[in-house]
Each structure stands twice: as C-alpha cells, then as structure tokens.
Amino acid sequence: MWFESDTIIMCLFIFLISGGLFMLKQRNSKRPLFHFEVFGSQNVIAGMILFFIFYLIRSGLNNVYSIMATVWKWPWDYIVNIQYWNVAGTLLGYFCQGSAW
C-alpha cells in the first residue's frame, strides 16, 4: 500500500533519478569515490547473498521471539534465556567450523 501515496512515489522517482545520475558521474569520473567493478567479484556476490540469507534468518528469529511474547504469552526472562542459548549455539557452531579449516 506504500505506492498509493503520492509522496512515496515522488520520493522513489527522485531516488531513481539521483541514483542514476550518481552512477553515471562515478563511471565517467577519473577518480571515482565508488568503484562499481567490485560487483564483478565472485566473493562480493557470495558475501551479499550470505548477508541476505543471514538477514532473513535474523528477521525470522525476531518473529519467533515476538510470537513467544504475544501469542504464547511467555515471560520475557524465559525468552531472553532462549536467546542466550541461541547465541551460544551460534558461537559454538562458528568456532567448531573455524577449527575444521
């Protein structure tokens, strides 16, 4: 329903025009501030995909914690303990994976 607002449509239009002009200026500049060639690297693309996946997982966990609090009416101290276990499991998985390399 965002695009039913004239203000949001105008802001999107201004963003697209100014973003396009910025990209043209950077590509034609002798010393650009931003190098678009970076996006040709496979490592950068893989990193962006991983960032997107991890962000989806994070938002999914926030939804789970919200359901615990509002729907199931669990006390916050219990939910925080579950979050501590989640962080501990993440760190344990990180360090165990790191030692395998």
Side-chain angles (χ1 to χ4, degrees):
M1 310 247 195
W2 281 18
F3 293 110
E4 292 178 3
S5 169
D6 292 336
T7 304
I8 292 178
I9 291 173
M10 182 60 70
C11 289
L12 176 66
F13 181 71
I14 291 170
F15 166 75
L16 290 175
I17 295 295
S18 61
L21 290 174
F22 172 77
M23 288 171 45
L24 280 174
K25 181 179 184 245
Q26 291 301 305
R27 291 186 60 82
N28 295 329
S29 177
K30 279 187 192 178
R31 293 187 224 164
L33 297 172
F34 192 86
H35 298 276
F36 292 103
E37 295 83 23
V38 169
F39 294 113
S41 170
Q42 290 181 351
N43 288 337
V44 171
I45 294 172
M48 289 171 53
I49 290 170
L50 283 174
F51 178 78
F52 180 72
I53 290 170
F54 291 146
Y55 191 79
L56 286 177
I57 292 170
R58 179 183 163 272
S59 65
L61 281 175
N62 284 338
N63 289 339
V64 169
Y65 296 142
S66 176
I67 287 171
M68 288 176 184
T70 56
V71 177
W72 298 337
K73 305 218 186 306
W74 287 3
W76 274 108
D77 54 345
Y78 188 70
I79 296 171
V80 168
N81 286 334
I82 292 174
Q83 289 175 341
Y84 288 147
W85 281 106
N86 188 2
V87 170
T90 302
L91 291 175
L92 180 69
Y94 173 76
F95 289 119
C96 289
Q97 179 66 27
S99 65
W101 292 97

PDB file of all heavy atoms in Angstrom, residues 14-45:
ATOM      1  N   ILE A  14      12.548  10.546  -7.381  1.00  0.00           N
ATOM      2  CA  ILE A  14      13.737  11.372  -7.110  1.00  0.00           C
ATOM      3  C   ILE A  14      14.933  10.482  -6.792  1.00  0.00           C
ATOM      4  O   ILE A  14      16.058  10.737  -7.242  1.00  0.00           O
ATOM      5  CB  ILE A  14      13.449  12.366  -5.967  1.00  0.00           C
ATOM      6  CG1 ILE A  14      12.439  13.410  -6.440  1.00  0.00           C
ATOM      7  CG2 ILE A  14      14.722  13.040  -5.476  1.00  0.00           C
ATOM      8  CD1 ILE A  14      11.907  14.301  -5.339  1.00  0.00           C
ATOM      9  N   PHE A  15      14.716   9.417  -6.025  1.00  0.00           N
ATOM     10  CA  PHE A  15      15.790   8.480  -5.695  1.00  0.00           C
ATOM     11  C   PHE A  15      16.353   7.826  -6.949  1.00  0.00           C
ATOM     12  O   PHE A  15      17.573   7.715  -7.115  1.00  0.00           O
ATOM     13  CB  PHE A  15      15.281   7.419  -4.723  1.00  0.00           C
ATOM     14  CG  PHE A  15      16.190   6.235  -4.575  1.00  0.00           C
ATOM     15  CD1 PHE A  15      17.351   6.336  -3.842  1.00  0.00           C
ATOM     16  CD2 PHE A  15      15.881   5.035  -5.193  1.00  0.00           C
ATOM     17  CE1 PHE A  15      18.202   5.250  -3.718  1.00  0.00           C
ATOM     18  CE2 PHE A  15      16.719   3.945  -5.075  1.00  0.00           C
ATOM     19  CZ  PHE A  15      17.885   4.058  -4.331  1.00  0.00           C
ATOM     20  N   LEU A  16      15.476   7.365  -7.842  1.00  0.00           N
ATOM     21  CA  LEU A  16      15.949   6.704  -9.052  1.00  0.00           C
ATOM     22  C   LEU A  16      16.723   7.664  -9.957  1.00  0.00           C
ATOM     23  O   LEU A  16      17.773   7.298 -10.501  1.00  0.00           O
ATOM     24  CB  LEU A  16      14.762   6.092  -9.812  1.00  0.00           C
ATOM     25  CG  LEU A  16      14.096   4.889  -9.141  1.00  0.00           C
ATOM     26  CD1 LEU A  16      12.861   4.466  -9.927  1.00  0.00           C
ATOM     27  CD2 LEU A  16      15.071   3.744  -9.013  1.00  0.00           C
ATOM     28  N   ILE A  17      16.229   8.886 -10.102  1.00  0.00           N
ATOM     29  CA  ILE A  17      16.924   9.873 -10.938  1.00  0.00           C
ATOM     30  C   ILE A  17      18.272  10.238 -10.330  1.00  0.00           C
ATOM     31  O   ILE A  17      19.304  10.209 -11.010  1.00  0.00           O
ATOM     32  CB  ILE A  17      16.053  11.141 -11.126  1.00  0.00           C
ATOM     33  CG1 ILE A  17      14.789  10.807 -11.913  1.00  0.00           C
ATOM     34  CG2 ILE A  17      16.848  12.258 -11.798  1.00  0.00           C
ATOM     35  CD1 ILE A  17      15.035  10.371 -13.330  1.00  0.00           C
ATOM     36  N   SER A  18      18.305  10.564  -9.037  1.00  0.00           N
ATOM     37  CA  SER A  18      19.571  10.965  -8.416  1.00  0.00           C
ATOM     38  C   SER A  18      20.543   9.791  -8.325  1.00  0.00           C
ATOM     39  O   SER A  18      21.753   9.969  -8.499  1.00  0.00           O
ATOM     40  CB  SER A  18      19.333  11.578  -7.035  1.00  0.00           C
ATOM     41  OG  SER A  18      18.709  10.639  -6.181  1.00  0.00           O
ATOM     42  N   GLY A  19      20.044   8.582  -8.091  1.00  0.00           N
ATOM     43  CA  GLY A  19      20.918   7.412  -8.071  1.00  0.00           C
ATOM     44  C   GLY A  19      21.523   7.136  -9.436  1.00  0.00           C
ATOM     45  O   GLY A  19      22.707   6.811  -9.549  1.00  0.00           O
ATOM     46  N   GLY A  20      20.715   7.272 -10.479  1.00  0.00           N
ATOM     47  CA  GLY A  20      21.226   7.093 -11.835  1.00  0.00           C
ATOM     48  C   GLY A  20      22.266   8.131 -12.199  1.00  0.00           C
ATOM     49  O   GLY A  20      23.298   7.815 -12.805  1.00  0.00           O
ATOM     50  N   LEU A  21      22.016   9.387 -11.833  1.00  0.00           N
ATOM     51  CA  LEU A  21      22.994  10.436 -12.099  1.00  0.00           C
ATOM     52  C   LEU A  21      24.292  10.198 -11.329  1.00  0.00           C
ATOM     53  O   LEU A  21      25.386  10.426 -11.851  1.00  0.00           O
ATOM     54  CB  LEU A  21      22.407  11.808 -11.751  1.00  0.00           C
ATOM     55  CG  LEU A  21      21.308  12.306 -12.682  1.00  0.00           C
ATOM     56  CD1 LEU A  21      20.700  13.595 -12.147  1.00  0.00           C
ATOM     57  CD2 LEU A  21      21.851  12.498 -14.089  1.00  0.00           C
ATOM     58  N   PHE A  22      24.181   9.732 -10.090  1.00  0.00           N
ATOM     59  CA  PHE A  22      25.377   9.415  -9.303  1.00  0.00           C
ATOM     60  C   PHE A  22      26.191   8.308  -9.973  1.00  0.00           C
ATOM     61  O   PHE A  22      27.416   8.401 -10.076  1.00  0.00           O
ATOM     62  CB  PHE A  22      24.980   9.008  -7.883  1.00  0.00           C
ATOM     63  CG  PHE A  22      26.126   8.492  -7.063  1.00  0.00           C
ATOM     64  CD1 PHE A  22      27.043   9.367  -6.515  1.00  0.00           C
ATOM     65  CD2 PHE A  22      26.287   7.130  -6.856  1.00  0.00           C
ATOM     66  CE1 PHE A  22      28.103   8.901  -5.762  1.00  0.00           C
ATOM     67  CE2 PHE A  22      27.350   6.653  -6.105  1.00  0.00           C
ATOM     68  CZ  PHE A  22      28.262   7.536  -5.560  1.00  0.00           C
ATOM     69  N   MET A  23      25.503   7.260 -10.423  1.00  0.00           N
ATOM     70  CA  MET A  23      26.206   6.155 -11.068  1.00  0.00           C
ATOM     71  C   MET A  23      26.883   6.613 -12.367  1.00  0.00           C
ATOM     72  O   MET A  23      28.028   6.226 -12.645  1.00  0.00           O
ATOM     73  CB  MET A  23      25.249   4.991 -11.316  1.00  0.00           C
ATOM     74  CG  MET A  23      24.879   4.281 -10.035  1.00  0.00           C
ATOM     75  SD  MET A  23      23.571   3.061 -10.114  1.00  0.00           S
ATOM     76  CE  MET A  23      23.901   2.115 -11.524  1.00  0.00           C
ATOM     77  N   LEU A  24      26.205   7.438 -13.151  1.00  0.00           N
ATOM     78  CA  LEU A  24      26.824   7.961 -14.377  1.00  0.00           C
ATOM     79  C   LEU A  24      28.053   8.806 -14.060  1.00  0.00           C
ATOM     80  O   LEU A  24      29.087   8.687 -14.724  1.00  0.00           O
ATOM     81  CB  LEU A  24      25.812   8.797 -15.160  1.00  0.00           C
ATOM     82  CG  LEU A  24      24.816   8.021 -16.007  1.00  0.00           C
ATOM     83  CD1 LEU A  24      23.786   8.967 -16.611  1.00  0.00           C
ATOM     84  CD2 LEU A  24      25.552   7.258 -17.092  1.00  0.00           C
ATOM     85  N   LYS A  25      27.939   9.650 -13.046  1.00  0.00           N
ATOM     86  CA  LYS A  25      29.069  10.506 -12.674  1.00  0.00           C
ATOM     87  C   LYS A  25      30.253   9.675 -12.206  1.00  0.00           C
ATOM     88  O   LYS A  25      31.403   9.954 -12.556  1.00  0.00           O
ATOM     89  CB  LYS A  25      28.655  11.481 -11.575  1.00  0.00           C
ATOM     90  CG  LYS A  25      29.772  12.408 -11.180  1.00  0.00           C
ATOM     91  CD  LYS A  25      29.349  13.381 -10.110  1.00  0.00           C
ATOM     92  CE  LYS A  25      30.476  14.342  -9.839  1.00  0.00           C
ATOM     93  NZ  LYS A  25      31.021  14.247  -8.535  1.00  0.00           N
ATOM     94  N   GLN A  26      29.994   8.646 -11.414  1.00  0.00           N
ATOM     95  CA  GLN A  26      31.075   7.807 -10.904  1.00  0.00           C
ATOM     96  C   GLN A  26      31.735   6.999 -12.021  1.00  0.00           C
ATOM     97  O   GLN A  26      32.943   6.786 -12.001  1.00  0.00           O
ATOM     98  CB  GLN A  26      30.549   6.868  -9.817  1.00  0.00           C
ATOM     99  CG  GLN A  26      30.148   7.586  -8.545  1.00  0.00           C
ATOM    100  CD  GLN A  26      31.297   8.359  -7.943  1.00  0.00           C
ATOM    101  OE1 GLN A  26      32.356   7.822  -7.680  1.00  0.00           O
ATOM    102  NE2 GLN A  26      31.086   9.652  -7.726  1.00  0.00           N
ATOM    103  N   ARG A  27      30.965   6.533 -12.974  1.00  0.00           N
ATOM    104  CA  ARG A  27      31.537   5.729 -14.063  1.00  0.00           C
ATOM    105  C   ARG A  27      32.361   6.588 -15.020  1.00  0.00           C
ATOM    106  O   ARG A  27      33.286   6.093 -15.652  1.00  0.00           O
ATOM    107  CB  ARG A  27      30.444   4.984 -14.809  1.00  0.00           C
ATOM    108  CG  ARG A  27      29.840   3.893 -13.936  1.00  0.00           C
ATOM    109  CD  ARG A  27      28.861   3.005 -14.610  1.00  0.00           C
ATOM    110  NE  ARG A  27      29.299   2.235 -15.739  1.00  0.00           N
ATOM    111  CZ  ARG A  27      29.958   1.069 -15.688  1.00  0.00           C
ATOM    112  NH1 ARG A  27      30.317   0.594 -14.533  1.00  0.00           N
ATOM    113  NH2 ARG A  27      30.247   0.422 -16.775  1.00  0.00           N
ATOM    114  N   ASN A  28      32.035   7.869 -15.133  1.00  0.00           N
ATOM    115  CA  ASN A  28      32.749   8.753 -16.056  1.00  0.00           C
ATOM    116  C   ASN A  28      33.808   9.601 -15.364  1.00  0.00           C
ATOM    117  O   ASN A  28      34.464  10.405 -16.021  1.00  0.00           O
ATOM    118  CB  ASN A  28      31.759   9.662 -16.785  1.00  0.00           C
ATOM    119  CG  ASN A  28      30.823   8.876 -17.675  1.00  0.00           C
ATOM    120  OD1 ASN A  28      31.193   7.833 -18.192  1.00  0.00           O
ATOM    121  ND2 ASN A  28      29.612   9.361 -17.837  1.00  0.00           N
ATOM    122  N   SER A  29      34.004   9.425 -14.079  1.00  0.00           N
ATOM    123  CA  SER A  29      34.956  10.229 -13.329  1.00  0.00           C
ATOM    124  C   SER A  29      36.352   9.612 -13.390  1.00  0.00           C
ATOM    125  O   SER A  29      36.516   8.392 -13.475  1.00  0.00           O
ATOM    126  CB  SER A  29      34.496  10.322 -11.868  1.00  0.00           C
ATOM    127  OG  SER A  29      35.434  11.028 -11.111  1.00  0.00           O
ATOM    128  N   LYS A  30      37.398  10.483 -13.359  1.00  0.00           N
ATOM    129  CA  LYS A  30      38.769   9.987 -13.341  1.00  0.00           C
ATOM    130  C   LYS A  30      39.068   9.262 -12.024  1.00  0.00           C
ATOM    131  O   LYS A  30      39.709   8.224 -12.012  1.00  0.00           O
ATOM    132  CB  LYS A  30      39.755  11.146 -13.489  1.00  0.00           C
ATOM    133  CG  LYS A  30      39.970  11.623 -14.872  1.00  0.00           C
ATOM    134  CD  LYS A  30      41.082  12.640 -14.866  1.00  0.00           C
ATOM    135  CE  LYS A  30      41.166  13.365 -16.176  1.00  0.00           C
ATOM    136  NZ  LYS A  30      42.208  14.393 -16.157  1.00  0.00           N
ATOM    137  N   ARG A  31      38.666   9.864 -10.936  1.00  0.00           N
ATOM    138  CA  ARG A  31      38.889   9.284  -9.609  1.00  0.00           C
ATOM    139  C   ARG A  31      37.545   9.091  -8.909  1.00  0.00           C
ATOM    140  O   ARG A  31      37.131   9.921  -8.101  1.00  0.00           O
ATOM    141  CB  ARG A  31      39.762  10.201  -8.764  1.00  0.00           C
ATOM    142  CG  ARG A  31      41.157  10.322  -9.274  1.00  0.00           C
ATOM    143  CD  ARG A  31      41.975  11.095  -8.307  1.00  0.00           C
ATOM    144  NE  ARG A  31      42.769  12.045  -9.050  1.00  0.00           N
ATOM    145  CZ  ARG A  31      43.378  13.068  -8.536  1.00  0.00           C
ATOM    146  NH1 ARG A  31      43.273  13.311  -7.254  1.00  0.00           N
ATOM    147  NH2 ARG A  31      44.088  13.869  -9.271  1.00  0.00           N
ATOM    148  N   PRO A  32      36.877   8.002  -9.192  1.00  0.00           N
ATOM    149  CA  PRO A  32      35.547   7.816  -8.589  1.00  0.00           C
ATOM    150  C   PRO A  32      35.640   7.503  -7.092  1.00  0.00           C
ATOM    151  O   PRO A  32      36.633   6.958  -6.602  1.00  0.00           O
ATOM    152  CB  PRO A  32      34.990   6.622  -9.359  1.00  0.00           C
ATOM    153  CG  PRO A  32      36.177   5.893  -9.849  1.00  0.00           C
ATOM    154  CD  PRO A  32      37.243   6.920 -10.080  1.00  0.00           C
ATOM    155  N   LEU A  33      34.597   7.883  -6.376  1.00  0.00           N
ATOM    156  CA  LEU A  33      34.504   7.558  -4.956  1.00  0.00           C
ATOM    157  C   LEU A  33      34.048   6.118  -4.755  1.00  0.00           C
ATOM    158  O   LEU A  33      34.365   5.491  -3.753  1.00  0.00           O
ATOM    159  CB  LEU A  33      33.511   8.498  -4.264  1.00  0.00           C
ATOM    160  CG  LEU A  33      33.877   9.977  -4.272  1.00  0.00           C
ATOM    161  CD1 LEU A  33      32.730  10.795  -3.728  1.00  0.00           C
ATOM    162  CD2 LEU A  33      35.127  10.199  -3.453  1.00  0.00           C
ATOM    163  N   PHE A  34      33.309   5.597  -5.705  1.00  0.00           N
ATOM    164  CA  PHE A  34      32.738   4.257  -5.610  1.00  0.00           C
ATOM    165  C   PHE A  34      33.065   3.503  -6.885  1.00  0.00           C
ATOM    166  O   PHE A  34      32.784   3.978  -7.982  1.00  0.00           O
ATOM    167  CB  PHE A  34      31.221   4.352  -5.410  1.00  0.00           C
ATOM    168  CG  PHE A  34      30.588   3.070  -5.015  1.00  0.00           C
ATOM    169  CD1 PHE A  34      30.530   2.690  -3.689  1.00  0.00           C
ATOM    170  CD2 PHE A  34      30.063   2.221  -5.967  1.00  0.00           C
ATOM    171  CE1 PHE A  34      29.954   1.501  -3.313  1.00  0.00           C
ATOM    172  CE2 PHE A  34      29.482   1.035  -5.607  1.00  0.00           C
ATOM    173  CZ  PHE A  34      29.428   0.666  -4.269  1.00  0.00           C
ATOM    174  N   HIS A  35      33.674   2.345  -6.751  1.00  0.00           N
ATOM    175  CA  HIS A  35      34.074   1.542  -7.907  1.00  0.00           C
ATOM    176  C   HIS A  35      33.055   0.425  -8.114  1.00  0.00           C
ATOM    177  O   HIS A  35      32.958  -0.503  -7.316  1.00  0.00           O
ATOM    178  CB  HIS A  35      35.466   0.955  -7.696  1.00  0.00           C
ATOM    179  CG  HIS A  35      36.524   1.996  -7.554  1.00  0.00           C
ATOM    180  ND1 HIS A  35      37.136   2.576  -8.629  1.00  0.00           N
ATOM    181  CD2 HIS A  35      37.054   2.587  -6.456  1.00  0.00           C
ATOM    182  CE1 HIS A  35      38.012   3.465  -8.223  1.00  0.00           C
ATOM    183  NE2 HIS A  35      37.975   3.489  -6.902  1.00  0.00           N
ATOM    184  N   PHE A  36      32.326   0.491  -9.209  1.00  0.00           N
ATOM    185  CA  PHE A  36      31.290  -0.495  -9.494  1.00  0.00           C
ATOM    186  C   PHE A  36      31.875  -1.821  -9.994  1.00  0.00           C
ATOM    187  O   PHE A  36      31.171  -2.819 -10.060  1.00  0.00           O
ATOM    188  CB  PHE A  36      30.297   0.057 -10.514  1.00  0.00           C
ATOM    189  CG  PHE A  36      29.473   1.184  -9.963  1.00  0.00           C
ATOM    190  CD1 PHE A  36      29.751   2.488 -10.309  1.00  0.00           C
ATOM    191  CD2 PHE A  36      28.436   0.929  -9.092  1.00  0.00           C
ATOM    192  CE1 PHE A  36      28.997   3.526  -9.797  1.00  0.00           C
ATOM    193  CE2 PHE A  36      27.677   1.956  -8.570  1.00  0.00           C
ATOM    194  CZ  PHE A  36      27.960   3.260  -8.921  1.00  0.00           C
ATOM    195  N   GLU A  37      33.166  -1.840 -10.309  1.00  0.00           N
ATOM    196  CA  GLU A  37      33.803  -3.074 -10.754  1.00  0.00           C
ATOM    197  C   GLU A  37      33.851  -4.113  -9.634  1.00  0.00           C
ATOM    198  O   GLU A  37      34.055  -5.300  -9.886  1.00  0.00           O
ATOM    199  CB  GLU A  37      35.220  -2.802 -11.253  1.00  0.00           C
ATOM    200  CG  GLU A  37      35.281  -1.929 -12.492  1.00  0.00           C
ATOM    201  CD  GLU A  37      35.200  -0.443 -12.163  1.00  0.00           C
ATOM    202  OE1 GLU A  37      35.524  -0.065 -11.017  1.00  0.00           O
ATOM    203  OE2 GLU A  37      34.782   0.320 -13.039  1.00  0.00           O
ATOM    204  N   VAL A  38      33.685  -3.655  -8.412  1.00  0.00           N
ATOM    205  CA  VAL A  38      33.718  -4.556  -7.262  1.00  0.00           C
ATOM    206  C   VAL A  38      32.634  -5.624  -7.389  1.00  0.00           C
ATOM    207  O   VAL A  38      32.828  -6.772  -6.982  1.00  0.00           O
ATOM    208  CB  VAL A  38      33.529  -3.737  -5.957  1.00  0.00           C
ATOM    209  CG1 VAL A  38      33.285  -4.629  -4.765  1.00  0.00           C
ATOM    210  CG2 VAL A  38      34.725  -2.867  -5.724  1.00  0.00           C
ATOM    211  N   PHE A  39      31.499  -5.261  -7.962  1.00  0.00           N
ATOM    212  CA  PHE A  39      30.386  -6.199  -8.081  1.00  0.00           C
ATOM    213  C   PHE A  39      30.660  -7.317  -9.084  1.00  0.00           C
ATOM    214  O   PHE A  39      29.880  -8.251  -9.195  1.00  0.00           O
ATOM    215  CB  PHE A  39      29.096  -5.467  -8.447  1.00  0.00           C
ATOM    216  CG  PHE A  39      28.628  -4.544  -7.358  1.00  0.00           C
ATOM    217  CD1 PHE A  39      28.636  -3.181  -7.548  1.00  0.00           C
ATOM    218  CD2 PHE A  39      28.209  -5.051  -6.147  1.00  0.00           C
ATOM    219  CE1 PHE A  39      28.210  -2.336  -6.553  1.00  0.00           C
ATOM    220  CE2 PHE A  39      27.783  -4.215  -5.136  1.00  0.00           C
ATOM    221  CZ  PHE A  39      27.786  -2.854  -5.340  1.00  0.00           C
ATOM    222  N   GLY A  40      31.778  -7.243  -9.800  1.00  0.00           N
ATOM    223  CA  GLY A  40      32.166  -8.316 -10.706  1.00  0.00           C
ATOM    224  C   GLY A  40      32.869  -9.469  -9.984  1.00  0.00           C
ATOM    225  O   GLY A  40      33.027 -10.543 -10.537  1.00  0.00           O
ATOM    226  N   SER A  41      33.271  -9.240  -8.746  1.00  0.00           N
ATOM    227  CA  SER A  41      33.975 -10.268  -7.975  1.00  0.00           C
ATOM    228  C   SER A  41      33.001 -11.303  -7.430  1.00  0.00           C
ATOM    229  O   SER A  41      31.943 -10.959  -6.893  1.00  0.00           O
ATOM    230  CB  SER A  41      34.727  -9.604  -6.820  1.00  0.00           C
ATOM    231  OG  SER A  41      35.223 -10.574  -5.930  1.00  0.00           O
ATOM    232  N   GLN A  42      33.376 -12.569  -7.538  1.00  0.00           N
ATOM    233  CA  GLN A  42      32.515 -13.637  -7.035  1.00  0.00           C
ATOM    234  C   GLN A  42      32.428 -13.598  -5.507  1.00  0.00           C
ATOM    235  O   GLN A  42      31.392 -13.945  -4.939  1.00  0.00           O
ATOM    236  CB  GLN A  42      33.037 -14.994  -7.490  1.00  0.00           C
ATOM    237  CG  GLN A  42      32.868 -15.224  -8.965  1.00  0.00           C
ATOM    238  CD  GLN A  42      33.379 -16.587  -9.396  1.00  0.00           C
ATOM    239  OE1 GLN A  42      34.006 -17.290  -8.626  1.00  0.00           O
ATOM    240  NE2 GLN A  42      33.100 -16.939 -10.637  1.00  0.00           N
ATOM    241  N   ASN A  43      33.504 -13.173  -4.838  1.00  0.00           N
ATOM    242  CA  ASN A  43      33.483 -13.100  -3.378  1.00  0.00           C
ATOM    243  C   ASN A  43      32.490 -12.055  -2.876  1.00  0.00           C
ATOM    244  O   ASN A  43      31.802 -12.261  -1.876  1.00  0.00           O
ATOM    245  CB  ASN A  43      34.878 -12.794  -2.830  1.00  0.00           C
ATOM    246  CG  ASN A  43      35.821 -13.969  -2.966  1.00  0.00           C
ATOM    247  OD1 ASN A  43      35.387 -15.109  -3.059  1.00  0.00           O
ATOM    248  ND2 ASN A  43      37.104 -13.682  -2.998  1.00  0.00           N
ATOM    249  N   VAL A  44      32.418 -10.930  -3.568  1.00  0.00           N
ATOM    250  CA  VAL A  44      31.480  -9.876  -3.173  1.00  0.00           C
ATOM    251  C   VAL A  44      30.048 -10.352  -3.374  1.00  0.00           C
ATOM    252  O   VAL A  44      29.184 -10.151  -2.515  1.00  0.00           O
ATOM    253  CB  VAL A  44      31.755  -8.577  -3.952  1.00  0.00           C
ATOM    254  CG1 VAL A  44      30.672  -7.555  -3.717  1.00  0.00           C
ATOM    255  CG2 VAL A  44      33.106  -8.019  -3.563  1.00  0.00           C
ATOM    256  N   ILE A  45      29.789 -11.002  -4.481  1.00  0.00           N
ATOM    257  CA  ILE A  45      28.437 -11.509  -4.751  1.00  0.00           C
ATOM    258  C   ILE A  45      28.049 -12.568  -3.730  1.00  0.00           C
ATOM    259  O   ILE A  45      26.938 -12.564  -3.198  1.00  0.00           O
ATOM    260  CB  ILE A  45      28.344 -12.033  -6.197  1.00  0.00           C
ATOM    261  CG1 ILE A  45      28.502 -10.865  -7.174  1.00  0.00           C
ATOM    262  CG2 ILE A  45      27.029 -12.752  -6.432  1.00  0.00           C
ATOM    263  CD1 ILE A  45      28.628 -11.276  -8.616  1.00  0.00           C
TER     264      ILE A  45
END
